[in-house]
PDB file of all heavy atoms in Angstrom:
ATOM      1  N   ALA A1235     101.830 102.157  98.568  1.00 94.00           N
ATOM      2  CA  ALA A1235     102.415 101.051  97.905  1.00 94.00           C
ATOM      3  C   ALA A1235     102.305  99.755  98.449  1.00 94.00           C
ATOM      4  O   ALA A1235     102.079  99.670  99.650  1.00 94.00           O
ATOM      5  CB  ALA A1235     103.801 101.414  97.440  1.00 94.00           C
ATOM      6  N   SER A1236     102.369  98.670  97.697  1.00 95.00           N
ATOM      7  CA  SER A1236     102.272  97.369  98.273  1.00 95.00           C
ATOM      8  C   SER A1236     103.233  97.137  99.371  1.00 95.00           C
ATOM      9  O   SER A1236     104.499  97.339  99.209  1.00 95.00           O
ATOM     10  CB  SER A1236     102.476  96.296  97.131  1.00 95.00           C
ATOM     11  OG  SER A1236     102.297  94.980  97.563  1.00 95.00           O
ATOM     12  N   GLY A1237     102.707  96.667 100.549  1.00 96.00           N
ATOM     13  CA  GLY A1237     103.565  96.234 101.658  1.00 96.00           C
ATOM     14  C   GLY A1237     103.801  97.409 102.557  1.00 96.00           C
ATOM     15  O   GLY A1237     104.127  97.283 103.784  1.00 96.00           O
ATOM     16  N   VAL A1238     103.499  98.659 102.162  1.00 97.00           N
ATOM     17  CA  VAL A1238     103.768  99.819 103.003  1.00 97.00           C
ATOM     18  C   VAL A1238     102.754  99.890 104.219  1.00 97.00           C
ATOM     19  O   VAL A1238     103.167 100.084 105.355  1.00 97.00           O
ATOM     20  CB  VAL A1238     103.688 101.112 102.192  1.00 97.00           C
ATOM     21  CG1 VAL A1238     103.769 102.380 103.121  1.00 97.00           C
ATOM     22  CG2 VAL A1238     104.969 101.224 101.257  1.00 97.00           C
ATOM     23  N   PRO A1239     101.463  99.603 103.969  1.00 97.00           N
ATOM     24  CA  PRO A1239     100.586  99.639 105.187  1.00 97.00           C
ATOM     25  C   PRO A1239     100.829  98.485 106.249  1.00 97.00           C
ATOM     26  O   PRO A1239     100.789  98.617 107.380  1.00 97.00           O
ATOM     27  CB  PRO A1239      99.136  99.551 104.664  1.00 97.00           C
ATOM     28  CG  PRO A1239      99.284  99.863 103.221  1.00 97.00           C
ATOM     29  CD  PRO A1239     100.740  99.559 102.755  1.00 97.00           C
ATOM     30  N   GLU A1240     101.337  97.444 105.697  1.00 97.00           N
ATOM     31  CA  GLU A1240     101.625  96.241 106.578  1.00 97.00           C
ATOM     32  C   GLU A1240     102.837  96.682 107.410  1.00 97.00           C
ATOM     33  O   GLU A1240     102.955  96.356 108.601  1.00 97.00           O
ATOM     34  CB  GLU A1240     101.892  94.961 105.723  1.00 97.00           C
ATOM     35  CG  GLU A1240     100.751  94.448 105.093  1.00 97.00           C
ATOM     36  CD  GLU A1240     100.226  95.070 103.758  1.00 97.00           C
ATOM     37  OE1 GLU A1240     100.836  95.998 103.354  1.00 97.00           O
ATOM     38  OE2 GLU A1240      99.309  94.611 103.304  1.00 97.00           O
ATOM     39  N   LEU A1241     103.856  97.203 106.788  1.00 97.00           N
ATOM     40  CA  LEU A1241     105.028  97.691 107.446  1.00 97.00           C
ATOM     41  C   LEU A1241     104.724  98.786 108.603  1.00 97.00           C
ATOM     42  O   LEU A1241     105.295  98.873 109.723  1.00 97.00           O
ATOM     43  CB  LEU A1241     106.128  98.199 106.504  1.00 97.00           C
ATOM     44  CG  LEU A1241     107.476  98.589 107.161  1.00 97.00           C
ATOM     45  CD1 LEU A1241     108.129  97.400 107.964  1.00 97.00           C
ATOM     46  CD2 LEU A1241     108.473  98.870 105.960  1.00 97.00           C
ATOM     47  N   ALA A1242     103.905  99.701 108.091  1.00 97.00           N
ATOM     48  CA  ALA A1242     103.376 100.731 109.094  1.00 97.00           C
ATOM     49  C   ALA A1242     102.703 100.023 110.306  1.00 97.00           C
ATOM     50  O   ALA A1242     103.005 100.506 111.444  1.00 97.00           O
ATOM     51  CB  ALA A1242     102.447 101.752 108.296  1.00 97.00           C
ATOM     52  N   THR A1243     101.971  98.941 110.069  1.00 98.00           N
ATOM     53  CA  THR A1243     101.225  98.332 111.099  1.00 98.00           C
ATOM     54  C   THR A1243     102.295  97.731 112.128  1.00 98.00           C
ATOM     55  O   THR A1243     102.230  97.809 113.320  1.00 98.00           O
ATOM     56  CB  THR A1243     100.348  97.157 110.618  1.00 98.00           C
ATOM     57  OG1 THR A1243      99.373  97.883 109.760  1.00 98.00           O
ATOM     58  CG2 THR A1243      99.623  96.511 111.808  1.00 98.00           C
ATOM     59  N   GLN A1244     103.359  97.048 111.467  1.00 97.00           N
ATOM     60  CA  GLN A1244     104.369  96.433 112.179  1.00 97.00           C
ATOM     61  C   GLN A1244     105.014  97.406 113.117  1.00 97.00           C
ATOM     62  O   GLN A1244     105.306  97.164 114.422  1.00 97.00           O
ATOM     63  CB  GLN A1244     105.350  95.775 111.410  1.00 97.00           C
ATOM     64  CG  GLN A1244     104.802  94.526 110.677  1.00 97.00           C
ATOM     65  CD  GLN A1244     105.916  93.999 109.785  1.00 97.00           C
ATOM     66  OE1 GLN A1244     107.091  94.173 109.855  1.00 97.00           O
ATOM     67  NE2 GLN A1244     105.513  93.312 108.720  1.00 97.00           N
ATOM     68  N   ASN A1245     105.350  98.680 112.670  1.00 97.00           N
ATOM     69  CA  ASN A1245     106.014  99.636 113.325  1.00 97.00           C
ATOM     70  C   ASN A1245     105.164 100.289 114.511  1.00 97.00           C
ATOM     71  O   ASN A1245     105.508 100.434 115.584  1.00 97.00           O
ATOM     72  CB  ASN A1245     106.502 100.740 112.566  1.00 97.00           C
ATOM     73  CG  ASN A1245     107.621 100.320 111.527  1.00 97.00           C
ATOM     74  OD1 ASN A1245     108.304  99.314 111.802  1.00 97.00           O
ATOM     75  ND2 ASN A1245     107.893 101.065 110.460  1.00 97.00           N
ATOM     76  N   LEU A1246     103.866 100.354 114.213  1.00 97.00           N
ATOM     77  CA  LEU A1246     102.898 100.806 115.215  1.00 97.00           C
ATOM     78  C   LEU A1246     102.831  99.869 116.415  1.00 97.00           C
ATOM     79  O   LEU A1246     102.747 100.309 117.458  1.00 97.00           O
ATOM     80  CB  LEU A1246     101.504 101.039 114.499  1.00 97.00           C
ATOM     81  CG  LEU A1246     101.203 102.445 113.934  1.00 97.00           C
ATOM     82  CD1 LEU A1246      99.861 102.398 113.277  1.00 97.00           C
ATOM     83  CD2 LEU A1246     101.347 103.513 114.893  1.00 97.00           C
ATOM     84  N   LYS A1247     102.772  98.564 116.077  1.00 97.00           N
ATOM     85  CA  LYS A1247     102.633  97.550 117.113  1.00 97.00           C
ATOM     86  C   LYS A1247     103.891  97.477 118.063  1.00 97.00           C
ATOM     87  O   LYS A1247     103.775  97.050 119.180  1.00 97.00           O
ATOM     88  CB  LYS A1247     102.385  96.166 116.596  1.00 97.00           C
ATOM     89  CG  LYS A1247     100.957  95.981 115.883  1.00 97.00           C
ATOM     90  CD  LYS A1247     100.798  94.591 115.379  1.00 97.00           C
ATOM     91  CE  LYS A1247      99.344  94.462 114.945  1.00 97.00           C
ATOM     92  NZ  LYS A1247      98.376  94.487 116.061  1.00 97.00           N
ATOM     93  N   GLN A1248     105.007  98.029 117.487  1.00 97.00           N
ATOM     94  CA  GLN A1248     106.151  98.046 118.476  1.00 97.00           C
ATOM     95  C   GLN A1248     105.974  99.095 119.547  1.00 97.00           C
ATOM     96  O   GLN A1248     106.395  99.060 120.670  1.00 97.00           O
ATOM     97  CB  GLN A1248     107.504  98.426 117.628  1.00 97.00           C
ATOM     98  CG  GLN A1248     107.892  97.288 116.797  1.00 97.00           C
ATOM     99  CD  GLN A1248     109.137  97.606 116.005  1.00 97.00           C
ATOM    100  OE1 GLN A1248     109.699  98.649 116.115  1.00 97.00           O
ATOM    101  NE2 GLN A1248     109.471  96.741 114.976  1.00 97.00           N
ATOM    102  N   GLN A1249     105.196 100.199 119.123  1.00 96.00           N
ATOM    103  CA  GLN A1249     104.975 101.220 120.088  1.00 96.00           C
ATOM    104  C   GLN A1249     103.723 101.054 120.845  1.00 96.00           C
ATOM    105  O   GLN A1249     103.670 101.427 122.026  1.00 96.00           O
ATOM    106  CB  GLN A1249     104.947 102.525 119.369  1.00 96.00           C
ATOM    107  CG  GLN A1249     104.836 103.934 120.280  1.00 96.00           C
ATOM    108  CD  GLN A1249     105.045 105.162 119.472  1.00 96.00           C
ATOM    109  OE1 GLN A1249     105.130 105.098 118.217  1.00 96.00           O
ATOM    110  NE2 GLN A1249     105.081 106.251 120.107  1.00 96.00           N
ATOM    111  N   TYR A1250     102.690 100.550 120.229  1.00 98.00           N
ATOM    112  CA  TYR A1250     101.329 100.227 120.737  1.00 98.00           C
ATOM    113  C   TYR A1250     100.989  98.791 120.547  1.00 98.00           C
ATOM    114  O   TYR A1250     100.340  98.458 119.477  1.00 98.00           O
ATOM    115  CB  TYR A1250     100.239 101.270 120.153  1.00 98.00           C
ATOM    116  CG  TYR A1250     100.695 102.703 120.167  1.00 98.00           C
ATOM    117  CD1 TYR A1250     100.994 103.275 118.869  1.00 98.00           C
ATOM    118  CD2 TYR A1250     100.700 103.349 121.252  1.00 98.00           C
ATOM    119  CE1 TYR A1250     101.342 104.618 118.959  1.00 98.00           C
ATOM    120  CE2 TYR A1250     101.039 104.660 121.246  1.00 98.00           C
ATOM    121  CZ  TYR A1250     101.325 105.303 120.068  1.00 98.00           C
ATOM    122  OH  TYR A1250     101.687 106.614 120.009  1.00 98.00           O
ATOM    123  N   PRO A1251     101.459  97.697 121.313  1.00 97.00           N
ATOM    124  CA  PRO A1251     101.435  96.417 121.091  1.00 97.00           C
ATOM    125  C   PRO A1251      99.895  96.011 120.964  1.00 97.00           C
ATOM    126  O   PRO A1251      99.600  94.950 120.181  1.00 97.00           O
ATOM    127  CB  PRO A1251     101.976  95.721 122.258  1.00 97.00           C
ATOM    128  CG  PRO A1251     103.029  96.725 122.762  1.00 97.00           C
ATOM    129  CD  PRO A1251     102.362  98.137 122.499  1.00 97.00           C
ATOM    130  N   GLY A1252      98.998  96.729 121.577  1.00 97.00           N
ATOM    131  CA  GLY A1252      97.575  96.313 121.630  1.00 97.00           C
ATOM    132  C   GLY A1252      96.810  96.970 120.560  1.00 97.00           C
ATOM    133  O   GLY A1252      95.457  96.759 120.530  1.00 97.00           O
ATOM    134  N   ILE A1253      97.372  97.745 119.585  1.00 98.00           N
ATOM    135  CA  ILE A1253      96.655  98.416 118.551  1.00 98.00           C
ATOM    136  C   ILE A1253      96.013  97.480 117.633  1.00 98.00           C
ATOM    137  O   ILE A1253      96.689  96.395 117.277  1.00 98.00           O
ATOM    138  CB  ILE A1253      97.551  99.467 117.893  1.00 98.00           C
ATOM    139  CG1 ILE A1253      96.606 100.507 117.258  1.00 98.00           C
ATOM    140  CG2 ILE A1253      98.376  98.799 116.835  1.00 98.00           C
ATOM    141  CD1 ILE A1253      97.389 101.815 116.864  1.00 98.00           C
ATOM    142  N   ASN A1254      94.809  97.680 117.246  1.00 98.00           N
ATOM    143  CA  ASN A1254      93.959  96.636 116.641  1.00 98.00           C
ATOM    144  C   ASN A1254      93.762  97.013 115.134  1.00 98.00           C
ATOM    145  O   ASN A1254      92.696  97.570 114.765  1.00 98.00           O
ATOM    146  CB  ASN A1254      92.589  96.528 117.295  1.00 98.00           C
ATOM    147  CG  ASN A1254      91.828  95.255 116.790  1.00 98.00           C
ATOM    148  OD1 ASN A1254      92.339  94.427 116.106  1.00 98.00           O
ATOM    149  ND2 ASN A1254      90.582  95.281 116.950  1.00 98.00           N
ATOM    150  N   VAL A1255      94.643  96.718 114.192  1.00 98.00           N
ATOM    151  CA  VAL A1255      94.597  96.863 112.742  1.00 98.00           C
ATOM    152  C   VAL A1255      94.012  95.649 112.166  1.00 98.00           C
ATOM    153  O   VAL A1255      94.694  94.569 112.023  1.00 98.00           O
ATOM    154  CB  VAL A1255      95.902  97.238 112.088  1.00 98.00           C
ATOM    155  CG1 VAL A1255      95.679  97.442 110.692  1.00 98.00           C
ATOM    156  CG2 VAL A1255      96.548  98.464 112.891  1.00 98.00           C
ATOM    157  N   VAL A1256      92.829  95.796 111.655  1.00 98.00           N
ATOM    158  CA  VAL A1256      91.985  94.521 111.225  1.00 98.00           C
ATOM    159  C   VAL A1256      92.168  94.354 109.729  1.00 98.00           C
ATOM    160  O   VAL A1256      91.572  93.347 109.236  1.00 98.00           O
ATOM    161  CB  VAL A1256      90.603  94.690 111.536  1.00 98.00           C
ATOM    162  CG1 VAL A1256      90.276  94.778 113.060  1.00 98.00           C
ATOM    163  CG2 VAL A1256      89.851  96.015 110.940  1.00 98.00           C
ATOM    164  N   GLY A1257      92.875  95.144 109.092  1.00 98.00           N
ATOM    165  CA  GLY A1257      93.102  95.005 107.652  1.00 98.00           C
ATOM    166  C   GLY A1257      93.971  96.128 106.928  1.00 98.00           C
ATOM    167  O   GLY A1257      93.945  97.289 107.463  1.00 98.00           O
ATOM    168  N   CYS A1258      94.683  95.704 105.887  1.00 98.00           N
ATOM    169  CA  CYS A1258      95.519  96.608 105.120  1.00 98.00           C
ATOM    170  C   CYS A1258      95.306  96.228 103.664  1.00 98.00           C
ATOM    171  O   CYS A1258      95.158  95.136 103.246  1.00 98.00           O
ATOM    172  CB  CYS A1258      97.020  96.444 105.425  1.00 98.00           C
ATOM    173  SG  CYS A1258      97.437  96.933 107.119  1.00 98.00           S
ATOM    174  N   TYR A1259      95.289  97.270 102.815  1.00 98.00           N
ATOM    175  CA  TYR A1259      95.165  97.098 101.398  1.00 98.00           C
ATOM    176  C   TYR A1259      95.758  98.221 100.618  1.00 98.00           C
ATOM    177  O   TYR A1259      95.535  99.362 100.884  1.00 98.00           O
ATOM    178  CB  TYR A1259      93.820  96.858 100.977  1.00 98.00           C
ATOM    179  CG  TYR A1259      93.520  96.457  99.524  1.00 98.00           C
ATOM    180  CD1 TYR A1259      93.910  95.164  99.058  1.00 98.00           C
ATOM    181  CD2 TYR A1259      93.079  97.344  98.572  1.00 98.00           C
ATOM    182  CE1 TYR A1259      93.859  94.909  97.650  1.00 98.00           C
ATOM    183  CE2 TYR A1259      92.893  96.918  97.196  1.00 98.00           C
ATOM    184  CZ  TYR A1259      93.289  95.702  96.787  1.00 98.00           C
ATOM    185  OH  TYR A1259      93.159  95.278  95.465  1.00 98.00           O
ATOM    186  N   SER A1260      96.642  97.925  99.677  1.00 97.00           N
ATOM    187  CA  SER A1260      97.202  98.851  98.656  1.00 97.00           C
ATOM    188  C   SER A1260      96.485  98.777  97.399  1.00 97.00           C
ATOM    189  O   SER A1260      96.654  97.799  96.644  1.00 97.00           O
ATOM    190  CB  SER A1260      98.701  98.628  98.514  1.00 97.00           C
ATOM    191  OG  SER A1260      99.446  98.692  99.760  1.00 97.00           O
ATOM    192  N   PRO A1261      95.634  99.753  97.002  1.00 96.00           N
ATOM    193  CA  PRO A1261      94.837  99.759  95.838  1.00 96.00           C
ATOM    194  C   PRO A1261      95.597  99.901  94.572  1.00 96.00           C
ATOM    195  O   PRO A1261      96.708 100.550  94.816  1.00 96.00           O
ATOM    196  CB  PRO A1261      93.769 100.776  95.984  1.00 96.00           C
ATOM    197  CG  PRO A1261      94.430 101.792  96.905  1.00 96.00           C
ATOM    198  CD  PRO A1261      95.281 101.029  97.861  1.00 96.00           C
ATOM    199  N   SER A1262      95.290  99.384  93.553  1.00 93.00           N
ATOM    200  CA  SER A1262      96.017  99.522  92.263  1.00 93.00           C
ATOM    201  C   SER A1262      95.924 100.992  91.801  1.00 93.00           C
ATOM    202  O   SER A1262      94.969 101.740  92.075  1.00 93.00           O
ATOM    203  CB  SER A1262      95.488  98.516  91.218  1.00 93.00           C
ATOM    204  OG  SER A1262      94.129  98.910  90.992  1.00 93.00           O
ATOM    205  N   TYR A1263      96.720 101.318  90.872  1.00 89.00           N
ATOM    206  CA  TYR A1263      96.780 102.754  90.333  1.00 89.00           C
ATOM    207  C   TYR A1263      95.438 102.967  89.570  1.00 89.00           C
ATOM    208  O   TYR A1263      94.988 101.973  88.744  1.00 89.00           O
ATOM    209  CB  TYR A1263      98.026 102.942  89.466  1.00 89.00           C
ATOM    210  CG  TYR A1263      97.944 104.343  88.867  1.00 89.00           C
ATOM    211  CD1 TYR A1263      98.490 105.371  89.499  1.00 89.00           C
ATOM    212  CD2 TYR A1263      97.690 104.510  87.494  1.00 89.00           C
ATOM    213  CE1 TYR A1263      98.534 106.659  89.019  1.00 89.00           C
ATOM    214  CE2 TYR A1263      97.787 105.724  86.980  1.00 89.00           C
ATOM    215  CZ  TYR A1263      98.140 106.833  87.665  1.00 89.00           C
ATOM    216  OH  TYR A1263      98.093 108.062  87.095  1.00 89.00           O
ATOM    217  N   GLY A1264      94.729 104.042  89.730  1.00 92.00           N
ATOM    218  CA  GLY A1264      93.630 104.255  89.040  1.00 92.00           C
ATOM    219  C   GLY A1264      92.362 103.543  89.555  1.00 92.00           C
ATOM    220  O   GLY A1264      91.392 103.441  88.984  1.00 92.00           O
ATOM    221  N   PHE A1265      92.559 102.922  90.834  1.00 95.00           N
ATOM    222  CA  PHE A1265      91.450 102.097  91.401  1.00 95.00           C
ATOM    223  C   PHE A1265      90.022 102.819  91.537  1.00 95.00           C
ATOM    224  O   PHE A1265      89.071 102.222  91.385  1.00 95.00           O
ATOM    225  CB  PHE A1265      91.889 101.570  92.799  1.00 95.00           C
ATOM    226  CG  PHE A1265      91.774 102.664  93.863  1.00 95.00           C
ATOM    227  CD1 PHE A1265      90.554 102.606  94.700  1.00 95.00           C
ATOM    228  CD2 PHE A1265      92.661 103.624  94.087  1.00 95.00           C
ATOM    229  CE1 PHE A1265      90.538 103.562  95.743  1.00 95.00           C
ATOM    230  CE2 PHE A1265      92.614 104.543  95.005  1.00 95.00           C
ATOM    231  CZ  PHE A1265      91.511 104.567  95.956  1.00 95.00           C
ATOM    232  N   GLU A1266      90.132 104.159  91.750  1.00 94.00           N
ATOM    233  CA  GLU A1266      88.899 104.886  91.866  1.00 94.00           C
ATOM    234  C   GLU A1266      87.951 104.879  90.790  1.00 94.00           C
ATOM    235  O   GLU A1266      86.805 105.159  90.847  1.00 94.00           O
ATOM    236  CB  GLU A1266      89.237 106.420  92.455  1.00 94.00           C
ATOM    237  CG  GLU A1266      89.793 107.273  91.316  1.00 94.00           C
ATOM    238  CD  GLU A1266      91.264 107.108  91.052  1.00 94.00           C
ATOM    239  OE1 GLU A1266      91.953 106.227  91.614  1.00 94.00           O
ATOM    240  OE2 GLU A1266      91.877 107.966  90.214  1.00 94.00           O
ATOM    241  N   LYS A1267      88.672 104.647  89.579  1.00 93.00           N
ATOM    242  CA  LYS A1267      87.853 104.540  88.303  1.00 93.00           C
ATOM    243  C   LYS A1267      87.492 103.098  87.821  1.00 93.00           C
ATOM    244  O   LYS A1267      87.028 103.044  86.770  1.00 93.00           O
ATOM    245  CB  LYS A1267      88.615 105.318  87.197  1.00 93.00           C
ATOM    246  CG  LYS A1267      88.810 106.746  87.503  1.00 93.00           C
ATOM    247  CD  LYS A1267      89.610 107.361  86.429  1.00 93.00           C
ATOM    248  CE  LYS A1267      90.076 108.845  86.768  1.00 93.00           C
ATOM    249  NZ  LYS A1267      90.983 109.404  85.738  1.00 93.00           N
ATOM    250  N   ASN A1268      88.074 102.214  88.686  1.00 96.00           N
ATOM    251  CA  ASN A1268      87.836 100.849  88.304  1.00 96.00           C
ATOM    252  C   ASN A1268      86.653 100.219  89.090  1.00 96.00           C
ATOM    253  O   ASN A1268      86.817  99.992  90.434  1.00 96.00           O
ATOM    254  CB  ASN A1268      89.144  99.988  88.666  1.00 96.00           C
ATOM    255  CG  ASN A1268      89.016  98.576  88.226  1.00 96.00           C
ATOM    256  OD1 ASN A1268      88.032  97.867  88.280  1.00 96.00           O
ATOM    257  ND2 ASN A1268      90.161  98.028  87.735  1.00 96.00           N
ATOM    258  N   ALA A1269      85.506  99.984  88.580  1.00 96.00           N
ATOM    259  CA  ALA A1269      84.448  99.537  89.362  1.00 96.00           C
ATOM    260  C   ALA A1269      84.534  98.261  90.080  1.00 96.00           C
ATOM    261  O   ALA A1269      84.151  98.063  91.255  1.00 96.00           O
ATOM    262  CB  ALA A1269      83.094  99.382  88.495  1.00 96.00           C
ATOM    263  N   GLU A1270      85.254  97.376  89.392  1.00 96.00           N
ATOM    264  CA  GLU A1270      85.556  96.014  90.008  1.00 96.00           C
ATOM    265  C   GLU A1270      86.542  96.162  91.288  1.00 96.00           C
ATOM    266  O   GLU A1270      86.097  95.485  92.315  1.00 96.00           O
ATOM    267  CB  GLU A1270      86.092  95.153  88.984  1.00 96.00           C
ATOM    268  CG  GLU A1270      86.414  93.642  89.471  1.00 96.00           C
ATOM    269  CD  GLU A1270      86.881  92.726  88.405  1.00 96.00           C
ATOM    270  OE1 GLU A1270      86.647  93.126  87.152  1.00 96.00           O
ATOM    271  OE2 GLU A1270      87.384  91.742  88.653  1.00 96.00           O
ATOM    272  N   GLU A1271      87.404  96.946  91.175  1.00 96.00           N
ATOM    273  CA  GLU A1271      88.358  97.161  92.341  1.00 96.00           C
ATOM    274  C   GLU A1271      87.658  97.897  93.347  1.00 96.00           C
ATOM    275  O   GLU A1271      87.805  97.472  94.614  1.00 96.00           O
ATOM    276  CB  GLU A1271      89.541  98.064  91.798  1.00 96.00           C
ATOM    277  CG  GLU A1271      90.636  98.417  92.942  1.00 96.00           C
ATOM    278  CD  GLU A1271      91.566  97.341  93.242  1.00 96.00           C
ATOM    279  OE1 GLU A1271      91.346  96.163  93.009  1.00 96.00           O
ATOM    280  OE2 GLU A1271      92.796  97.809  93.600  1.00 96.00           O
ATOM    281  N   ASN A1272      86.909  98.827  93.109  1.00 97.00           N
ATOM    282  CA  ASN A1272      86.155  99.537  94.151  1.00 97.00           C
ATOM    283  C   ASN A1272      85.040  98.546  94.907  1.00 97.00           C
ATOM    284  O   ASN A1272      84.994  98.547  96.150  1.00 97.00           O
ATOM    285  CB  ASN A1272      85.278 100.756  93.590  1.00 97.00           C
ATOM    286  CG  ASN A1272      86.133 101.985  93.426  1.00 97.00           C
ATOM    287  OD1 ASN A1272      86.834 102.368  94.411  1.00 97.00           O
ATOM    288  ND2 ASN A1272      86.235 102.529  92.229  1.00 97.00           N
TER     289      ASN A1272
END
């Protein structure tokens, strides 16, 4: 869900400060069938 990967990243950085997360994205429901979203 929106905001969850970003919060996961924040928590990971507390344990592994140098971990290199270069991007996060929460796709919309049914994204796999949406050519534009893909």
